[in-house]
Amino acid sequence: MNTAAFGTDSDSLIHLVIVGSGWAGYTLSAELDYSKYKVTVISPDPITTYTPLLASALCGLFGFKVAEEPVRRRSRPVSLYQAVVDSVDFGSKTVHCTSKINSFEPERIEVSYDQIVLCQGCKGNDFGIPGVGEHSFAVRNTKDASALRNKISDILEKANLPTTTPERRRELLHFAIVGGGPTGVELAAELFDTMHQDIAKMFPHLEEYFNIAIYDVASNILSNFEEDLSTYALESFRRRGVKVHTSTHITEVRDGSMTTKEKGEIKFGILIWATGNANVPLTEKLNCRKSKEGLVRLLTDDQLRLHYTNGRIIRDAFAIGDAADIESLSLPTTAEVAVQKAKWLAKNLSANGEGTPFKFHEKRMVAYLGASAGVWQNDKVKLRGRLAWLSWRSTSLSWTHDWRKKILILVNWTLNYFYGKEIARI
Ligand SMILES: Cc1cc2nc3c(=O)[nH]c(=O)nc-3n(C[C@H](O)[C@H](O)[C@H](O)COP(=O)(O)OP(=O)(O)OC[C@H]3O[C@@H](n4cnc5c(N)ncnc54)[C@H](O)[C@@H]3O)c2cc1C
C-alpha cells in the first residue's frame, strides 16, 4: 500500500484533494489560490471535456483536442493521480483509491487530505432497460465521441457496398437518438447538418436513406425551455425531416434493433443514448446526507459543506457538480451550475471562511436546432431562429477560456464554411 501524504505536518500549504476532473473539479483546480493550497486531483481522466462542444467535435466542426483541456498546466502546480476513488474516510481524512492507467495493473493507493471536494459527477442512466450498455453509444467525453465517429464511418462504408440492399441501407442509416433534452437535440441537429450538407456530397446515392430520429418518453422535446420555444424546436425539426418520436417507451435494446411499447421492433444502424443521469458508485457508497427523491445526490448546505446522515457537518468536506445538490435549493445537473459552484467555493476557501450563501445566477439556456437556427432564453429574453443560432455560436466560444482554442474554433468554422467539415474528408 502506498500512502501519499502532503500538507498535514511540516508543509504550511493546505492540502486540498479534488475528486473528479470534470467541469466542477477542473474549474475548482483552475480557480484556487496556489499560494495557500497544494492541490491534488484524483480522477481516471487526466483531461476534462468541454461537453457543450462535443456534438460539434463529433461532426467535425473542429478536432476533438479543441473539446478537451488537460488538468495539469505549466502555469499551475496542480498534481493529479490517474485513479478512481473507492471510498473516503472523513474521520481520518483519507481517500482510498485504485490507479487506472491503461497499460498497467491497478494499484491501491491512499491519499491523506486537509480538505476534500467531491466532484465525481454522474454517469448515463439506462433506466434498467436491458441491452442499453452493450448496444448503444454514449457521448459524455471525447473518447465516446471518437468511437461514435468511427462507427459512423463504418456504417457509411457498409451502406455504400454494392451488395447492401436498399432495405438494409435504410436500417443502417437510421441514427436513433434517445433523449429529447438539449444534448439529444443538439446531437440530432449537428448530425442532420453533417449528413445532408457534407456526407451527402460524397455519398449522394445514400442521401435518400438518411434518417436522423429522436425518441423520448416525454410528449415534447426541450421540455426545460419555455413552451413556445420547445414547440418551435419540434416544428422546425419536423419541417426539415428530423423525425421526432415523442411518448415512446423503449423496453429492450439489441444489436441493431430496439423494442418500443408503442411501435414494436425498430431497426437502427446506430443508437445514441443521451438521456438521464445516474449515480457513480462512489456517490452510492459515501456515508453522508443525500437527497431522497429522483437522482440521489450528495446534499450540501448553502456553504457547499457535506453533512453526516445525523445532520452533523463533516469537517473540511465539500461537494459540487452533478453529484451534489443544495438542501432546499435544488439545481439542474449542468456545467453552468458546476462552474458557478466551483468558482464560489474557490473564492470562499481561499478567503478562509464562511461566506454569503451560494446563489445560482441563471445565465441562459441555449440549444442548436440545425440549419443555422436555434432557441435561446434567459429570464428576460427569448430568441429563436438565426439570432439564437448566432448566440449559440458565441456561447460555444465562451465555454473555453483558452485563447488558442477560441482561435482554433474560429479558424475551423471559417475553413468548414469554404471547404466542408473534417468528417466529410475521412
Ligand atoms: C454531450 C453533453 C453536452 C452537454 N452540454 C451542456 C451545455 O451545453 N450546458 C451545460 O450547462 N451543461 C451541459 N452538459 C452537462 C454538463 O456536462 C455536466 O453538468 C457537467 O459535466 C457536470 O460536471 P461535473 O464536474 O459535476 O461532472 P463530470 O463533468 O461528469 O465529471 C466527473 C468527473 O469525475 C470523475 N469520476 C467519477 N467517479 C470517480 C471516482 N470514483 N473517483 C475519481 N473520479 C471520478 C469522472 O471521470 C470525471 O472526470 C452536457 C453534458 C453532455 C454529456
Side-chain angles (χ1 to χ4, degrees), residues 115-192:
Q115 294 181 333
I116 188 166
V117 184
L118 296 166
C119 329
Q120 64 269 23
C122 289
K123 60 177 185 174
N125 193 346
D126 63 9
F127 300 99
I129 299 168
V132 172
E134 299 89 322
H135 306 300
S136 71
F137 284 83
V139 187
R140 295 187 81 89
N141 53 45
T142 47
K143 266 187 244 153
D144 293 342
S146 166
L148 177 55
R149 192 198 275 197
N150 290 339
K151 180 72 180 181
I152 293 172
S153 297
D154 287 354
I155 292 270
L156 286 165
E157 294 304 344
K158 177 76 178 162
N160 182 49
L161 292 178
T163 44
T164 305
T165 63
E167 194 194 341
R168 184 73 185 122
R169 281 183 175 159
R170 210 170 294 287
E171 289 166 10
L172 285 168
L173 293 166
H174 173 208
F175 295 175
I177 296 158
V178 181
T183 304
V185 162
E186 289 194 355
L187 279 165
E190 297 264 24
L191 276 171
F192 190 87

Side-chain angles (χ1 to χ4, degrees), residues 305-337:
R305 293 175 298 205
L306 282 167
H307 292 241
Y308 288 110
T309 45
N310 64 9
R312 211 158 38 90
I313 291 174
I314 303 178
R315 221 159 29 95
D316 298 319
F318 305 83
I320 55 175
D322 283 0
D325 209 3
I326 299 176
E327 188 158 43
S328 69
L329 176 67
S330 191
L331 292 169
T333 50
T334 64
E336 194 77 63
V337 175

Side-chain angles (χ1 to χ4, degrees), residues 120-128 140 273 275-284 294-297 322-324 333:
Q120 64 269 23
C122 289
K123 60 177 185 174
N125 193 346
D126 63 9
F127 300 99
R140 295 187 81 89
W273 202 261
T275 184
N277 278 319
N279 286 332
V280 295
L282 177 63
T283 305
E284 303 274 347
L295 173 68
V296 176
R297 300 164 82 186
D322 283 0
T333 50

Side-chain angles (χ1 to χ4, degrees), residues 395-408:
T395 307
S396 297
L397 278 180
S398 73
W399 284 113
T400 167
H401 296 291
D402 181 340
W403 277 102
R404 275 186 301 191
K405 292 210 160 73
K406 285 184 201 285
I407 291 165
L408 277 173

Side-chain angles (χ1 to χ4, degrees), residues 230-240:
S230 68
T231 306
Y232 170 82
L234 189 66
E235 282 167 2
S236 107
F237 267 177
R238 288 196 168 141
R239 211 173 33 247
R240 280 184 299 113

Side-chain angles (χ1 to χ4, degrees), residues 24-44:
Y26 173 78
T27 308
L28 182 65
S29 76
E31 296 281 327
L32 279 163
D33 178 352
Y34 282 77
S35 68
K36 292 182 178 160
Y37 280 94
K38 182 161 199 155
V39 179
T40 303
V41 176
I42 305 175
S43 174

